[in-house]
Amino acid sequence: MTPELTALIVTAGAWILLHLVVAGSPLRRVIVAKIREPGFQGMFSLLSLAGLVALVMAYRSASAPGVNFDLWVPSHAALWTPLVVMPVALLLLVGSLTTPNPTSVGMERALHAPTPARGILRVTRHPMLWGFVLWAAAHLAANGDAASLVLFVAVAVPALTGMFSIDRKRARRDPVGWQRYAAVTSIVPFAAIAAGRNQFVAGEIGLWRAGVALLVAAAIVAVHPLLIGVSALPFS
């Protein structure tokens, strides 16, 4: 294993531990007790930004020719996966950012809204995190190299575990409000709808959100060669 790949693994491990230990364990309550919630949010934001920059830089070094190596050869169908999945992932992200979500920082009061789960929240109560998971999974399917495996696992693991961590924190802070919200939502997309605890209302998501997601997806395809160094189109 090359030093660059080793550095990427260490950086990815630190990124995962930052989210699992600092934000997702009882250590968080210890820190908050000392510096209060705003102080913790500020500290965690700075650490996350630094960790993200380090992760990107380590990935760029580890994915250089002669350093990286293939673990498997993606099929032709797998090469199309990001192009198909990313608009869905971006719709989840856009929906999360434009819908009052009780699982978002500072939005806990939305638990007591007359209809706490509207729009994309009827599909899943963690649309943003599922957007990251889909982004990571789609790109992992289309890239069979070691550096990409480490990077996308580092993205997916905190997103998946974060769903359960956030649920525990909200349930602890507001048991009544959370029980009401959890009763009509689900972590797994469409699970609450399939169970009859909610219903899909396409109009609440809105065509404009789908349009924004498609525009962002098109912009990413356009700048992908400049930012990443390879085309996002499997036939180019």
Side-chain angles (χ1 to χ4, degrees):
M1 183 178 295
T2 63
E4 291 85 356
L5 279 170
T6 301
L8 175 59
I9 292 172
V10 171
T11 306
W15 170 261
I16 292 173
L17 288 175
L18 172 66
H19 289 79
L20 266 62
V21 177
V22 177
S25 78
L27 177 62
R28 185 186 194 278
R29 295 199 294 272
V30 175
I31 299 174
V32 169
K34 293 183 177 298
I35 64 176
R36 299 184 181 276
E37 186 66 30
F40 175 84
Q41 293 297 337
M43 179 200 74
F44 186 74
S45 296
L46 289 175
L47 289 175
S48 295
L49 179 60
L52 181 61
V53 170
L55 188 61
V56 171
M57 292 177 63
Y59 173 73
R60 290 178 67 90
S61 298
S63 59
V67 174
N68 199 11
F69 57 88
D70 290 334
L71 297 172
W72 69 88
V73 178
S75 66
H76 181 70
L79 296 177
W80 283 89
T81 306
L83 207 61
V84 174
V85 172
M86 282 307 296
V88 178
L90 290 168
L91 177 59
L92 289 167
L93 289 171
V94 171
S96 176
L97 293 171
T98 57
T99 305
N101 187 352
T103 65
S104 299
V105 175
M107 294 298 296
E108 292 86 349
R109 63 184 181 277
L111 286 173
H112 300 279
T115 306
R118 292 178 56 83
I120 202 69
L121 301 182
R122 295 180 185 268
V123 176
T124 173
R125 57 178 173 260
H126 296 290
M128 178 175 288
L129 294 180
W130 273 113
F132 290 136
V133 170
L134 289 179
W135 172 78
H139 284 77
L140 181 57
N143 294 274
D145 60 280
S148 293
L149 174 64
V150 175
L151 174 67
F152 297 127
V153 167
V155 172
V157 168
L160 287 169
T161 58
M163 300 177 195
F164 299 94
S165 175
I166 291 171
D167 283 8
R168 289 194 299 270
K169 285 183 284 189
R170 295 295 183 270
R172 186 173 60 249
R173 293 176 183 175
D174 187 351
V176 175
W178 180 255
Q179 185 176 16
R180 173 173 173 261
Y181 181 62
V184 296
T185 59
S186 60
I187 290 179
V188 178
F190 294 102
I193 295 173
R197 296 186 286 112
N198 210 321
Q199 59 182 342
F200 181 70
V201 183
E204 290 181 358
I205 296 176
L207 286 176
W208 72 270
R209 289 187 176 91
V212 170
L214 289 174
L215 286 174
V216 174
I220 291 174
V221 170
V223 302
H224 206 274
L226 298 176
L227 295 179
I228 310 301
V230 295
S231 174
L233 301 174
F235 50 79
S236 60

